[in-house]
């Protein structure tokens, strides 16, 4: 089982190092047979090679079972023609990692940003290869244009194929959870694009009669996430809506720093923290690596399921449990959660918990 590690920008190298330390602990404790390689991307690659993502790195990535991708400072990159390729978008599009899986759950031992007594345990299934994003909605060219200096246009792409497959993954996931899927849309305004998305989801829903299905306007969904988050189990949505709603859900559940995330296709999976690169704390040992570590655990569970390797799934579960065990103690939290631990110490504590879980 081969894993490619791409440290990324800002705090990416620090939290990626922490996640890989935990993966090494799981590898040894559960006898997983993982092998790791590493390549530079982002600003490190731009400085040395003139591009944030070399073609040979992208092609090499196709041969790996899993990828650990650090945070990306793509908003600070030069334009694509000057080498500033959005690495996350390139991986999603070129490797067809179409399902961005973003869970959000409250923890009884941590503060959340919900009303007292409210809890959340949901997963947002975000289609990641099309939508409003101009770097992934055209075969050639760019999905935004400016006919005049005072007029800007953007093209949105929604296809039946991509809508059906993210819907199918969502219903399959719901069967393993609480058997409910909510489709998020704005078909009252986007009659054709969101209308096509809903047609596709409704068709797939017929294949899963045991799963409860409903639909909700995206603006209404923001209110329900705040007021009645318990109504949600799996939310399936297009790219742009899912990007925004997943940040909202994660912050409501406690913090973006507590939110794992994977980008999954039919044959590959990539772990990536849900938050940004936070260059203001780069190199200070202040970053909370929880999101990256949880993403690594999600990667192992995905690999275990798709390769029918129960040990990988057990290791992924052990990582999530280990994170919770470390977070449960106020003395072993990072500063953003009121504790005193740095990135390295927190990662080491989680790795120790993983080894202890295996011994037990």
């Amino acid at each position: 089982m081969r894993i490619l590690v791409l440290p990324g920008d800002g705090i990416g190298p620090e939290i990626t190092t922490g996640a890989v330390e935990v993966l090494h602990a799981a590898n040894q404790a559960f006898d997983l047979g993982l092998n790791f390689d590493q390549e530079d991307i982002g600003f490190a690659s731009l400085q040395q090679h003139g591009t944030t993502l070399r073609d040979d790195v992208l092609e090499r990535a196709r041969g790996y079972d899993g990828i650990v991708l650090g945070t990306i400072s793509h908003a600070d990159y030069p334009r694509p023609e000057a080498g500033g390729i959005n690495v996350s978008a390139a991986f999603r599009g070129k490797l067809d990692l179409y399902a961005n899986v973003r869970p959000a759950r409250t923890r009884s031992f941590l503060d959340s940003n919900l009303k007292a007594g409210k809890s959340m345990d949901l997963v947002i299934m975000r289609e990641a290869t099309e939508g409003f994003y101009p770097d992934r909605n055209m075969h050639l060219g760019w999905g935004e244009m400016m006919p005049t200096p005072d007029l800007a246009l953007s093209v949105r792409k929604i296809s039946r194929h991509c809508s059906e497959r993210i819907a199918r993954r969502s219903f399959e996931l719901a069967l393993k959870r609480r058997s409910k899927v909510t489709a998020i849309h704005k078909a009252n305004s986007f009659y054709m694009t969101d209308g096509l998305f809903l047609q596709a989801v409704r068709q797939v829903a017929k294949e899963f009669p045991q799963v409860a299905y409903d639909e909700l306007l995206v603006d209404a969904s923001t209110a329900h996430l705040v007021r009645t988050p318990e109504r949600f189990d799996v939310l399936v949505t297009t790219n742009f809506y899912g990007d925004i709603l997943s940040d909202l859900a994660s912050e409501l559940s406690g913090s973006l720093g507590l939110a794992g995330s994977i980008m999954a296709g039919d044959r590959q999976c990539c772990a990536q923290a849900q938050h940004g690169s936070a260059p203001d704390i780069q190199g200070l040992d202040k970053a909370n690596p929880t999101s990256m570590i949880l993403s690594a655990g999600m990667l192992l569970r995905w690999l275990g399921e798709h390769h029918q390797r129960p040990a990988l799934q057990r290791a992924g579960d052990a990582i999530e449990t280990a994170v919770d065990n470390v977070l449960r103690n106020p003395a072993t939290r990072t500063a953003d959660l009121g504790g005193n631990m740095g990135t390295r110490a927190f990662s080491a504590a989680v790795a120790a918990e993983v080894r202890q879980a295996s011994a037990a």
Side-chain angles (χ1 to χ4, degrees):
M1 197 67 66
R2 302 175 66 222
I3 307 294
L4 180 62
V5 180
L6 305 168
D9 305 311
I11 61 172
E14 298 165 75
I15 63 172
T16 300
T17 296
V20 170
E21 179 182 0
V22 174
L23 286 175
H24 276 298
N27 191 26
Q28 183 178 24
F30 291 87
D31 193 22
L32 302 179
L34 302 180
N35 295 287
F36 299 87
D37 293 315
Q38 183 169 314
E39 289 282 359
D40 284 334
I41 54 166
F43 280 121
S45 176
L46 182 67
Q47 183 175 10
Q48 186 167 357
H49 302 285
T51 177
T52 56
L53 178 61
R54 308 193 316 270
D55 289 341
D56 63 295
V57 172
L58 180 61
E59 287 306 309
R60 186 181 178 192
R62 297 181 189 276
Y64 285 82
D65 301 289
I67 301 164
V68 176
L69 178 60
T71 52
I72 304 298
S73 298
H74 62 84
D76 299 320
Y77 289 171
R79 292 186 60 82
E81 58 268 24
I85 299 169
N86 182 336
V87 181
S88 298
F91 272 51
R92 288 166 180 166
K94 301 296 185 181
L95 302 183
D96 201 25
L97 304 176
Y98 60 86
N100 190 195
V101 185
R102 293 185 163 185
R105 65 178 175 90
T106 50
R107 295 166 171 85
S108 60
F109 48 85
L110 289 177
D111 292 336
S112 76
N113 293 305
L114 293 168
K115 289 182 178 178
K118 291 290 183 179
S119 62
M120 174 187 290
D121 182 3
L122 58 84
V123 180
I124 292 176
M125 295 289 285
R126 170 195 175 199
E127 201 294 319
T129 61
E130 55 181 21
F132 263 127
Y133 291 76
D135 56 358
R136 64 200 88 167
N137 62 14
M138 304 287 283
H139 173 62
L140 288 174
W142 193 255
E144 285 193 317
M145 60 215 78
M146 290 188 72
T148 75
D150 301 313
L151 175 63
L153 304 174
S154 185
V155 175
R156 183 192 194 204
K157 180 182 77 173
I158 300 293
S159 68
R160 187 180 301 276
H161 168 67
C162 289
S163 299
E164 284 182 347
R165 65 182 182 175
I166 192 64
R168 190 162 284 108
R169 300 293 87 78
S170 300
F171 280 91
E172 290 169 353
L173 176 61
L175 286 175
K176 303 169 188 174
R177 289 175 49 86
R178 302 194 307 276
S179 294
K180 182 178 182 182
V181 170
T182 302
I184 306 298
H185 68 97
K186 190 68 175 174
N188 58 337
S189 296
F190 295 100
Y191 300 110
M192 297 183 186
T193 48
D194 274 4
L196 177 58
F197 171 74
L198 283 182
Q199 285 179 25
V201 178
R202 289 167 182 167
Q203 189 63 36
V204 172
K206 295 176 183 178
E207 303 172 19
F208 297 86
Q210 64 274 58
V211 176
Y213 171 68
D214 65 353
E215 299 167 358
L216 194 61
L217 291 170
V218 63
D219 44 338
S221 71
T222 62
H224 283 285
L225 279 170
V226 174
R227 190 169 60 236
T228 54
E230 65 277 3
R231 68 166 288 172
F232 296 114
D233 181 19
V234 176
L235 295 81
V236 59
T237 182
T238 54
N239 203 343
F240 187 56
Y241 304 154
D243 196 3
I244 295 170
L245 291 178
S246 57
D247 278 13
L248 173 61
S250 296
E251 191 63 25
L252 286 171
S253 68
S255 168
L256 269 176
L258 299 172
S261 174
I262 56 171
M263 303 184 297
D266 290 331
R267 59 167 301 273
Q268 272 184 310
C269 183
C270 174
Q272 186 181 28
Q274 196 176 138
H275 55 73
S277 60
D280 56 316
I281 58 171
Q282 177 181 352
L284 300 179
D285 196 39
K286 288 185 176 180
N288 182 350
T290 296
S291 180
M292 190 74 254
I293 292 171
L294 288 174
S295 301
M298 291 174 67
L299 169 63
L300 292 188
R301 283 199 296 269
W302 188 94
L303 290 171
E305 180 178 350
H306 283 74
H307 293 275
Q308 297 183 335
R309 293 270 306 275
L312 285 162
Q313 292 177 287
R314 290 195 298 271
D317 291 341
I319 289 174
E320 184 166 0
T321 300
V323 167
D324 278 2
N325 287 343
V326 175
L327 289 175
R328 190 173 278 108
N329 183 353
T332 56
R333 297 173 187 168
T334 49
D336 58 309
L337 299 176
N340 298 310
M341 271 198 165
T343 310
R344 291 188 294 271
F346 183 89
S347 302
V350 175
E353 283 282 339
V354 170
R355 286 189 288 267
Q356 185 174 337
S358 172

PDB file of all heavy atoms in Angstrom, residues 129-150:
ATOM      1  N   THR A 129     -15.563  18.234  -8.839  1.00  0.00           N
ATOM      2  CA  THR A 129     -14.882  18.319 -10.132  1.00  0.00           C
ATOM      3  C   THR A 129     -15.529  19.272 -11.127  1.00  0.00           C
ATOM      4  O   THR A 129     -15.029  19.425 -12.238  1.00  0.00           O
ATOM      5  CB  THR A 129     -14.794  16.930 -10.790  1.00  0.00           C
ATOM      6  OG1 THR A 129     -16.113  16.424 -11.023  1.00  0.00           O
ATOM      7  CG2 THR A 129     -14.014  15.963  -9.912  1.00  0.00           C
ATOM      8  N   GLU A 130     -16.642  19.917 -10.743  1.00  0.00           N
ATOM      9  CA  GLU A 130     -17.277  20.862 -11.670  1.00  0.00           C
ATOM     10  C   GLU A 130     -17.893  22.001 -10.880  1.00  0.00           C
ATOM     11  O   GLU A 130     -17.321  22.466  -9.898  1.00  0.00           O
ATOM     12  CB  GLU A 130     -18.292  20.133 -12.565  1.00  0.00           C
ATOM     13  CG  GLU A 130     -19.362  19.349 -11.840  1.00  0.00           C
ATOM     14  CD  GLU A 130     -20.322  18.644 -12.790  1.00  0.00           C
ATOM     15  OE1 GLU A 130     -19.974  18.411 -13.964  1.00  0.00           O
ATOM     16  OE2 GLU A 130     -21.444  18.307 -12.347  1.00  0.00           O
ATOM     17  N   GLY A 131     -19.020  22.539 -11.307  1.00  0.00           N
ATOM     18  CA  GLY A 131     -19.671  23.620 -10.582  1.00  0.00           C
ATOM     19  C   GLY A 131     -19.200  24.986 -11.017  1.00  0.00           C
ATOM     20  O   GLY A 131     -18.857  25.214 -12.181  1.00  0.00           O
ATOM     21  N   PHE A 132     -19.146  25.938 -10.086  1.00  0.00           N
ATOM     22  CA  PHE A 132     -18.821  27.319 -10.395  1.00  0.00           C
ATOM     23  C   PHE A 132     -17.311  27.580 -10.480  1.00  0.00           C
ATOM     24  O   PHE A 132     -16.899  28.698 -10.729  1.00  0.00           O
ATOM     25  CB  PHE A 132     -19.406  28.247  -9.321  1.00  0.00           C
ATOM     26  CG  PHE A 132     -20.728  28.850  -9.709  1.00  0.00           C
ATOM     27  CD1 PHE A 132     -21.827  28.744  -8.880  1.00  0.00           C
ATOM     28  CD2 PHE A 132     -20.870  29.537 -10.895  1.00  0.00           C
ATOM     29  CE1 PHE A 132     -23.046  29.298  -9.217  1.00  0.00           C
ATOM     30  CE2 PHE A 132     -22.082  30.100 -11.258  1.00  0.00           C
ATOM     31  CZ  PHE A 132     -23.177  29.986 -10.414  1.00  0.00           C
ATOM     32  N   TYR A 133     -16.497  26.578 -10.259  1.00  0.00           N
ATOM     33  CA  TYR A 133     -15.057  26.802 -10.159  1.00  0.00           C
ATOM     34  C   TYR A 133     -14.432  26.886 -11.556  1.00  0.00           C
ATOM     35  O   TYR A 133     -14.457  25.910 -12.316  1.00  0.00           O
ATOM     36  CB  TYR A 133     -14.418  25.700  -9.310  1.00  0.00           C
ATOM     37  CG  TYR A 133     -14.837  25.837  -7.873  1.00  0.00           C
ATOM     38  CD1 TYR A 133     -16.107  25.450  -7.463  1.00  0.00           C
ATOM     39  CD2 TYR A 133     -13.994  26.410  -6.941  1.00  0.00           C
ATOM     40  CE1 TYR A 133     -16.517  25.616  -6.147  1.00  0.00           C
ATOM     41  CE2 TYR A 133     -14.400  26.572  -5.618  1.00  0.00           C
ATOM     42  CZ  TYR A 133     -15.664  26.176  -5.235  1.00  0.00           C
ATOM     43  OH  TYR A 133     -16.075  26.345  -3.933  1.00  0.00           O
ATOM     44  N   PRO A 134     -13.874  28.038 -11.930  1.00  0.00           N
ATOM     45  CA  PRO A 134     -13.442  28.249 -13.319  1.00  0.00           C
ATOM     46  C   PRO A 134     -12.287  27.378 -13.759  1.00  0.00           C
ATOM     47  O   PRO A 134     -12.053  27.226 -14.955  1.00  0.00           O
ATOM     48  CB  PRO A 134     -13.046  29.732 -13.346  1.00  0.00           C
ATOM     49  CG  PRO A 134     -12.757  30.094 -11.933  1.00  0.00           C
ATOM     50  CD  PRO A 134     -13.662  29.245 -11.106  1.00  0.00           C
ATOM     51  N   ASP A 135     -11.556  26.783 -12.807  1.00  0.00           N
ATOM     52  CA  ASP A 135     -10.429  25.944 -13.187  1.00  0.00           C
ATOM     53  C   ASP A 135     -10.829  24.495 -13.422  1.00  0.00           C
ATOM     54  O   ASP A 135      -9.986  23.655 -13.725  1.00  0.00           O
ATOM     55  CB  ASP A 135      -9.323  26.009 -12.124  1.00  0.00           C
ATOM     56  CG  ASP A 135      -9.813  25.621 -10.735  1.00  0.00           C
ATOM     57  OD1 ASP A 135     -11.016  25.346 -10.579  1.00  0.00           O
ATOM     58  OD2 ASP A 135      -8.995  25.609  -9.803  1.00  0.00           O
ATOM     59  N   ARG A 136     -12.115  24.164 -13.298  1.00  0.00           N
ATOM     60  CA  ARG A 136     -12.524  22.780 -13.499  1.00  0.00           C
ATOM     61  C   ARG A 136     -13.877  22.643 -14.183  1.00  0.00           C
ATOM     62  O   ARG A 136     -14.574  21.643 -14.023  1.00  0.00           O
ATOM     63  CB  ARG A 136     -12.509  22.028 -12.171  1.00  0.00           C
ATOM     64  CG  ARG A 136     -13.483  22.519 -11.127  1.00  0.00           C
ATOM     65  CD  ARG A 136     -13.097  22.085  -9.739  1.00  0.00           C
ATOM     66  NE  ARG A 136     -12.186  23.044  -9.127  1.00  0.00           N
ATOM     67  CZ  ARG A 136     -11.876  23.049  -7.836  1.00  0.00           C
ATOM     68  NH1 ARG A 136     -12.373  22.134  -7.036  1.00  0.00           N
ATOM     69  NH2 ARG A 136     -11.051  23.938  -7.336  1.00  0.00           N
ATOM     70  N   ASN A 137     -14.260  23.646 -14.968  1.00  0.00           N
ATOM     71  CA  ASN A 137     -15.545  23.513 -15.649  1.00  0.00           C
ATOM     72  C   ASN A 137     -15.462  23.702 -17.161  1.00  0.00           C
ATOM     73  O   ASN A 137     -16.471  23.865 -17.824  1.00  0.00           O
ATOM     74  CB  ASN A 137     -16.595  24.458 -15.051  1.00  0.00           C
ATOM     75  CG  ASN A 137     -16.227  25.922 -15.182  1.00  0.00           C
ATOM     76  OD1 ASN A 137     -15.321  26.274 -15.939  1.00  0.00           O
ATOM     77  ND2 ASN A 137     -16.945  26.774 -14.468  1.00  0.00           N
ATOM     78  N   MET A 138     -14.228  23.662 -17.719  1.00  0.00           N
ATOM     79  CA  MET A 138     -14.041  23.761 -19.163  1.00  0.00           C
ATOM     80  C   MET A 138     -13.050  22.673 -19.598  1.00  0.00           C
ATOM     81  O   MET A 138     -12.108  22.349 -18.873  1.00  0.00           O
ATOM     82  CB  MET A 138     -13.479  25.133 -19.548  1.00  0.00           C
ATOM     83  CG  MET A 138     -14.305  26.320 -19.074  1.00  0.00           C
ATOM     84  SD  MET A 138     -15.836  26.564 -19.975  1.00  0.00           S
ATOM     85  CE  MET A 138     -15.215  27.315 -21.476  1.00  0.00           C
ATOM     86  N   HIS A 139     -13.257  22.130 -20.808  1.00  0.00           N
ATOM     87  CA  HIS A 139     -12.288  21.181 -21.351  1.00  0.00           C
ATOM     88  C   HIS A 139     -10.988  21.900 -21.685  1.00  0.00           C
ATOM     89  O   HIS A 139      -9.891  21.418 -21.370  1.00  0.00           O
ATOM     90  CB  HIS A 139     -12.853  20.518 -22.606  1.00  0.00           C
ATOM     91  CG  HIS A 139     -11.864  19.647 -23.317  1.00  0.00           C
ATOM     92  ND1 HIS A 139     -11.300  18.535 -22.740  1.00  0.00           N
ATOM     93  CD2 HIS A 139     -11.319  19.754 -24.563  1.00  0.00           C
ATOM     94  CE1 HIS A 139     -10.458  17.974 -23.594  1.00  0.00           C
ATOM     95  NE2 HIS A 139     -10.446  18.691 -24.706  1.00  0.00           N
ATOM     96  N   LEU A 140     -11.100  23.058 -22.300  1.00  0.00           N
ATOM     97  CA  LEU A 140      -9.960  23.919 -22.567  1.00  0.00           C
ATOM     98  C   LEU A 140     -10.331  25.336 -22.157  1.00  0.00           C
ATOM     99  O   LEU A 140     -11.492  25.741 -22.274  1.00  0.00           O
ATOM    100  CB  LEU A 140      -9.584  23.899 -24.054  1.00  0.00           C
ATOM    101  CG  LEU A 140      -8.931  22.625 -24.596  1.00  0.00           C
ATOM    102  CD1 LEU A 140      -8.759  22.733 -26.107  1.00  0.00           C
ATOM    103  CD2 LEU A 140      -7.579  22.368 -23.936  1.00  0.00           C
ATOM    104  N   GLY A 141      -9.357  26.079 -21.676  1.00  0.00           N
ATOM    105  CA  GLY A 141      -9.640  27.464 -21.299  1.00  0.00           C
ATOM    106  C   GLY A 141     -10.050  27.593 -19.848  1.00  0.00           C
ATOM    107  O   GLY A 141      -9.876  26.690 -19.035  1.00  0.00           O
ATOM    108  N   TRP A 142     -10.613  28.729 -19.548  1.00  0.00           N
ATOM    109  CA  TRP A 142     -10.931  29.125 -18.176  1.00  0.00           C
ATOM    110  C   TRP A 142     -12.401  29.505 -18.105  1.00  0.00           C
ATOM    111  O   TRP A 142     -12.930  30.128 -19.026  1.00  0.00           O
ATOM    112  CB  TRP A 142     -10.040  30.319 -17.806  1.00  0.00           C
ATOM    113  CG  TRP A 142      -9.988  30.679 -16.356  1.00  0.00           C
ATOM    114  CD1 TRP A 142     -10.610  31.737 -15.767  1.00  0.00           C
ATOM    115  CD2 TRP A 142      -9.261  30.017 -15.317  1.00  0.00           C
ATOM    116  NE1 TRP A 142     -10.328  31.766 -14.428  1.00  0.00           N
ATOM    117  CE2 TRP A 142      -9.495  30.729 -14.117  1.00  0.00           C
ATOM    118  CE3 TRP A 142      -8.443  28.900 -15.282  1.00  0.00           C
ATOM    119  CZ2 TRP A 142      -8.932  30.358 -12.902  1.00  0.00           C
ATOM    120  CZ3 TRP A 142      -7.884  28.524 -14.072  1.00  0.00           C
ATOM    121  CH2 TRP A 142      -8.129  29.247 -12.903  1.00  0.00           C
ATOM    122  N   GLY A 143     -13.062  29.154 -17.029  1.00  0.00           N
ATOM    123  CA  GLY A 143     -14.502  29.358 -16.927  1.00  0.00           C
ATOM    124  C   GLY A 143     -14.946  30.746 -16.527  1.00  0.00           C
ATOM    125  O   GLY A 143     -16.117  30.947 -16.214  1.00  0.00           O
ATOM    126  N   GLU A 144     -14.011  31.682 -16.489  1.00  0.00           N
ATOM    127  CA  GLU A 144     -14.369  33.083 -16.259  1.00  0.00           C
ATOM    128  C   GLU A 144     -13.800  33.933 -17.393  1.00  0.00           C
ATOM    129  O   GLU A 144     -12.772  33.587 -17.983  1.00  0.00           O
ATOM    130  CB  GLU A 144     -13.817  33.588 -14.921  1.00  0.00           C
ATOM    131  CG  GLU A 144     -14.571  33.083 -13.717  1.00  0.00           C
ATOM    132  CD  GLU A 144     -14.204  33.842 -12.454  1.00  0.00           C
ATOM    133  OE1 GLU A 144     -13.002  34.100 -12.236  1.00  0.00           O
ATOM    134  OE2 GLU A 144     -15.121  34.172 -11.683  1.00  0.00           O
ATOM    135  N   MET A 145     -14.473  35.037 -17.672  1.00  0.00           N
ATOM    136  CA  MET A 145     -14.015  35.906 -18.750  1.00  0.00           C
ATOM    137  C   MET A 145     -14.454  37.334 -18.473  1.00  0.00           C
ATOM    138  O   MET A 145     -15.411  37.572 -17.726  1.00  0.00           O
ATOM    139  CB  MET A 145     -14.577  35.423 -20.090  1.00  0.00           C
ATOM    140  CG  MET A 145     -16.089  35.414 -20.158  1.00  0.00           C
ATOM    141  SD  MET A 145     -16.754  34.065 -21.136  1.00  0.00           S
ATOM    142  CE  MET A 145     -16.605  32.679 -20.018  1.00  0.00           C
ATOM    143  N   MET A 146     -13.747  38.288 -19.073  1.00  0.00           N
ATOM    144  CA  MET A 146     -14.085  39.709 -18.952  1.00  0.00           C
ATOM    145  C   MET A 146     -14.157  40.319 -20.352  1.00  0.00           C
ATOM    146  O   MET A 146     -13.139  40.719 -20.924  1.00  0.00           O
ATOM    147  CB  MET A 146     -13.053  40.444 -18.106  1.00  0.00           C
ATOM    148  CG  MET A 146     -13.085  40.069 -16.631  1.00  0.00           C
ATOM    149  SD  MET A 146     -12.019  41.128 -15.611  1.00  0.00           S
ATOM    150  CE  MET A 146     -12.954  42.670 -15.625  1.00  0.00           C
ATOM    151  N   PRO A 147     -15.355  40.376 -20.927  1.00  0.00           N
ATOM    152  CA  PRO A 147     -15.500  40.987 -22.247  1.00  0.00           C
ATOM    153  C   PRO A 147     -15.062  42.451 -22.285  1.00  0.00           C
ATOM    154  O   PRO A 147     -14.570  42.928 -23.303  1.00  0.00           O
ATOM    155  CB  PRO A 147     -16.997  40.850 -22.540  1.00  0.00           C
ATOM    156  CG  PRO A 147     -17.445  39.706 -21.682  1.00  0.00           C
ATOM    157  CD  PRO A 147     -16.616  39.798 -20.448  1.00  0.00           C
ATOM    158  N   THR A 148     -15.266  43.159 -21.183  1.00  0.00           N
ATOM    159  CA  THR A 148     -14.800  44.537 -21.050  1.00  0.00           C
ATOM    160  C   THR A 148     -14.208  44.701 -19.649  1.00  0.00           C
ATOM    161  O   THR A 148     -14.454  43.865 -18.768  1.00  0.00           O
ATOM    162  CB  THR A 148     -15.939  45.555 -21.227  1.00  0.00           C
ATOM    163  OG1 THR A 148     -16.755  45.573 -20.041  1.00  0.00           O
ATOM    164  CG2 THR A 148     -16.815  45.218 -22.435  1.00  0.00           C
ATOM    165  N   PRO A 149     -13.439  45.753 -19.399  1.00  0.00           N
ATOM    166  CA  PRO A 149     -12.882  45.949 -18.051  1.00  0.00           C
ATOM    167  C   PRO A 149     -13.936  46.102 -16.968  1.00  0.00           C
ATOM    168  O   PRO A 149     -13.640  45.931 -15.783  1.00  0.00           O
ATOM    169  CB  PRO A 149     -12.055  47.233 -18.202  1.00  0.00           C
ATOM    170  CG  PRO A 149     -11.726  47.308 -19.645  1.00  0.00           C
ATOM    171  CD  PRO A 149     -12.915  46.745 -20.355  1.00  0.00           C
ATOM    172  N   ASP A 150     -15.175  46.387 -17.363  1.00  0.00           N
ATOM    173  CA  ASP A 150     -16.244  46.604 -16.382  1.00  0.00           C
ATOM    174  C   ASP A 150     -17.297  45.509 -16.386  1.00  0.00           C
ATOM    175  O   ASP A 150     -18.377  45.679 -15.817  1.00  0.00           O
ATOM    176  CB  ASP A 150     -16.911  47.959 -16.652  1.00  0.00           C
ATOM    177  CG  ASP A 150     -15.934  49.110 -16.585  1.00  0.00           C
ATOM    178  OD1 ASP A 150     -15.157  49.145 -15.611  1.00  0.00           O
ATOM    179  OD2 ASP A 150     -15.920  49.945 -17.503  1.00  0.00           O
TER     180      ASP A 150
END
